[in-house]
Amino acid sequence: MNSSVAEFVREEVPDWDDEVVATARFKAFSGQRSDWEPRFFFWRDLILKVARYLGVFTIQASEVRSNWFSRGGLTPLCLDHVLLEMYNNGDILRSVDLMNSSGGRLYQMFKRVGHLIGISRSSTPQEIFEDRLILRTLLQERATEVTKVLSESHWTSSCVITMEKFQSTCRGSDEASIIMSYLSGCGKARYLSIRRMNLIEGVKISLAPTPLSNISSIDYDTLHLNWTAEKLHQQLDVIDRRCEKLRKSALQSLKSKNKEGALRHVRLLKLTSETREKCTALLNRVEEVLSIIENTESTKQVSEAIQIGARAIKDNSISIEEVHAHLQELDESVASQKQVEEALESMPLQHTDIEDEDVEEEFKKLEMELGDEIPHVQMAETVVDGSMRKTFSLQFSSLLLESSSNSVARWSSGSVWF
């Protein structure tokens, strides 16, 4: 028996090491139910306590029989009977007993009818013990916890979230699948999916005691907006890491008095910052529309919420096509930065306009960060004649056009953003 489980069991059962009592408990069930029912309740409750202690609601029969309650190499002979009784009483479920959350309404109706007449539970003991067993009581508790967590960030009677968000709220995809199936069977959740350029999966969950309301078109729009917001947040994280890396590289170049290298990194930092501004602007618009929808639904005027939500999307000019266009533009900007970086590194310093005010301002900020760590770096005023400036401008424009064309070609050939 696992040492931590053994210690827990001894705390829960003070007479666990009593030889006489243990011998009686470990015996197989025999006779009428009234003869062994007290022992059944003892083992049933102990199984639930150990599973709750371990933080799980799914168990394997072999694990319970061989490891949980082993005592001096002996295991309870009655555990098979206990697990079978728990299954017959509905305390234990199998994965086949749960609702397929992605199934249609007709499938779910037949599944519920099957549960009522007992068709889905007609299995042999061997089939039951080979399957993963789900403890109904602990599943209910865990589903309640997940719903409570979601209700803390939503003040509405229901919420629409992406499957990725739901899985992160649960402890991974396996747990999320079971909880989703359970909530679907209770009429408290519905699976949503949108197939655009990618398959977007989501969940609508009731956060109130009342049953889940019907799925509406605004729910699909909300799912798409939430998915877009999550992707934009991910892109911002990538951009922020890149900005920090470029900033550190520029500081390092200044410390080593490599003005040319510092200049390149500052220019790339400026380009990356511009990309971040575009990404942030779109994210703010998406979150504004989501806020309008949630604020309106919170007044319980569902019909009006649908109308206002749809109008908000229209008024803010956020269409599916525009979202994809913005995502494509961001993809092109990020992809082009590497090409610009390579071009700037290969370009002589005299072909760069180092008198640009923004670049000089960035240099001053970097120098202030360095403080007294290095001697003050004097910014040499480089005289660049008009012809050289024109040459740089043409080369830089050509690079941007080339990188944009390459990004568009790559997008058209089927590459997926993120």
Side-chain angles (χ1 to χ4, degrees):
M1 179 165 54
N2 182 283
S3 58
S4 63
V5 173
E7 184 178 348
F8 174 77
V9 170
R10 285 188 172 87
E11 290 178 358
E12 291 295 319
V13 187
D15 57 357
W16 179 258
D17 292 320
D18 188 304
E19 290 294 337
V20 176
V21 176
T23 300
R25 284 178 180 150
F26 275 48
K27 290 193 304 184
F29 291 164
S30 62
Q32 301 297 320
R33 182 183 178 94
S34 57
D35 298 332
W36 48 260
E37 190 172 54
R39 279 197 294 146
F40 163 71
F41 289 140
F42 167 83
W43 286 113
R44 182 200 64 181
D45 294 343
L46 189 56
I47 289 172
L48 293 175
K49 288 178 181 178
V50 172
R52 188 178 285 110
Y53 166 74
L54 295 175
V56 299
F57 58 78
T58 62
I59 59 176
Q60 291 287 347
S62 59
E63 179 75 8
V64 175
R65 287 181 297 187
S66 304
N67 298 330
W68 280 17
F69 307 114
S70 176
R71 185 176 176 276
L74 300 176
T75 57
L77 299 176
C78 57
L79 279 184
D80 281 358
H81 200 162
V82 171
L83 293 174
L84 187 59
E85 280 297 313
M86 291 179 68
Y87 180 75
N88 292 332
N89 295 341
D91 297 321
I92 282 179
L93 301 172
R94 296 168 58 204
S95 56
V96 296
D97 299 324
L98 294 174
M99 192 79 65
N100 182 357
S101 59
S102 59
R105 298 186 65 178
L106 185 60
Y107 163 83
Q108 296 185 7
M109 182 182 69
F110 280 120
K111 189 71 174 180
R112 290 192 180 97
V113 172
H115 280 307
L116 291 175
I117 63 179
I119 293 177
S120 60
R121 299 185 66 82
S122 57
S123 304
T124 65
Q126 186 65 26
E127 291 175 335
I128 295 172
F129 296 146
E130 290 178 353
D131 201 352
R132 180 172 56 173
L133 305 180
I134 303 167
L135 301 172
R136 178 191 286 273
T137 300
L138 303 190
L139 172 58
Q140 292 172 337
E141 292 176 2
R142 183 64 183 133
T144 301
E145 290 176 7
V146 170
T147 303
K148 182 179 179 181
V149 170
L150 292 174
S151 65
E152 291 174 353
S153 56
H154 298 81
W155 56 86
T156 52
S157 59
S158 63
C159 68
V160 176
I161 58 176
T162 63
M163 187 61 70
E164 184 177 356
K165 174 69 174 178
F166 183 67
Q167 291 175 353
S168 66
T169 305
C170 302
R171 290 188 285 256
S173 57
D174 290 341
E175 178 177 296
S177 176
I178 296 174
I179 294 176
M180 178 63 189
S181 297
Y182 170 74
L183 292 174
S184 297
C186 298
K188 302 283 287 184
R190 287 283 300 277
Y191 170 82
L192 302 175
S193 65
I194 307 172
R195 186 172 293 279
R196 298 285 190 259
M197 295 183 65
N198 339 56
L199 175 63
I200 303 175
E201 297 179 292
V203 186
K204 181 177 182 180
I205 300 177
S206 174
L207 304 178
T210 56
L212 188 67
S213 59
N214 292 329
I215 303 298
S216 65
S217 60
I218 199 66
D219 292 327
Y220 290 100
D221 292 333
T222 302
L223 172 60
H224 191 268
L225 289 171
N226 278 323
W227 176 85
T228 302
E230 290 178 13
K231 294 303 178 185
L232 291 172
H233 276 296
Q234 293 174 12
Q235 181 67 5
L236 282 174
D237 290 340
V238 173
I239 294 174
D240 288 341
R241 289 195 296 270
R242 180 170 176 79
C243 284
E244 181 62 19
K245 182 179 179 180
L246 289 171
R247 190 188 68 83
K248 290 180 179 179
S249 297
L251 283 172
Q252 188 62 36
S253 296
L254 279 179
K255 287 181 180 180
S256 60
K257 299 182 180 180
N258 180 6
K259 185 175 63 178
E260 181 178 353
L263 176 61
R264 294 190 184 108
H265 289 117
V266 168
R267 287 194 177 280
L268 287 170
L269 180 61
K270 182 174 175 57
L271 288 173
T272 306
S273 298
E274 292 175 354
T275 300
R276 191 186 193 287
E277 291 176 1
K278 294 179 182 179
C279 189
T280 302
L282 178 58
L283 177 60
N284 289 338
R285 293 176 60 194
V286 171
E287 290 182 339
E288 180 182 355
V289 176
L290 287 171
S291 178
I292 292 174
I293 295 173
E294 283 202 358
N295 288 337
T296 306
E297 201 278 335
S298 65
T299 65
K300 306 305 179 182
Q301 300 173 356
V302 179
S303 177
E304 183 180 355
I306 294 175
Q307 296 175 3
I308 293 179
R311 188 163 59 250
I313 293 175
K314 181 179 179 181
D315 292 345
N316 284 271
S317 302
I318 298 182
S319 63
I320 294 173
E321 292 76 12
E322 183 182 4
V323 169
H324 284 301
H326 278 283
L327 294 180
Q328 179 179 347
E329 181 181 352
L330 290 172
D331 180 48
E332 293 172 358
S333 298
V334 173
S336 66
Q337 287 173 7
K338 184 173 180 58
Q339 298 181 22
V340 174
E341 180 178 1
E342 294 174 353
L344 286 175
E345 289 177 352
S346 63
M347 189 179 301
L349 181 61
Q350 61 267 26
H351 286 274
T352 60
D353 186 5
I354 62 174
E355 294 181 341
D356 183 273
E357 295 180 357
D358 293 335
V359 176
E360 290 184 1
E361 184 178 351
E362 291 293 335
F363 266 122
K364 291 178 182 178
K365 292 180 181 178
L366 293 173
E367 288 178 330
M368 291 178 64
E369 290 187 31
L370 290 175
D372 298 330
E373 294 181 12
I374 61 171
H376 184 67
V377 181
Q378 296 293 333
M379 291 299 299
E381 296 183 358
T382 305
V383 179
V384 183
D385 58 31
S387 61
M388 294 180 66
R389 291 191 183 190
K390 183 177 180 180
T391 300
F392 172 79
S393 177
L394 291 174
Q395 290 178 344
F396 191 76
S397 300
S398 176
L399 285 170
L400 290 180
L401 288 174
E402 180 182 354
S403 62
S404 298
S405 300
N406 291 337
S407 297
V408 171
R410 190 173 65 258
W411 182 277
S412 302
S413 63
S415 62
V416 180
W417 194 64
F418 294 103

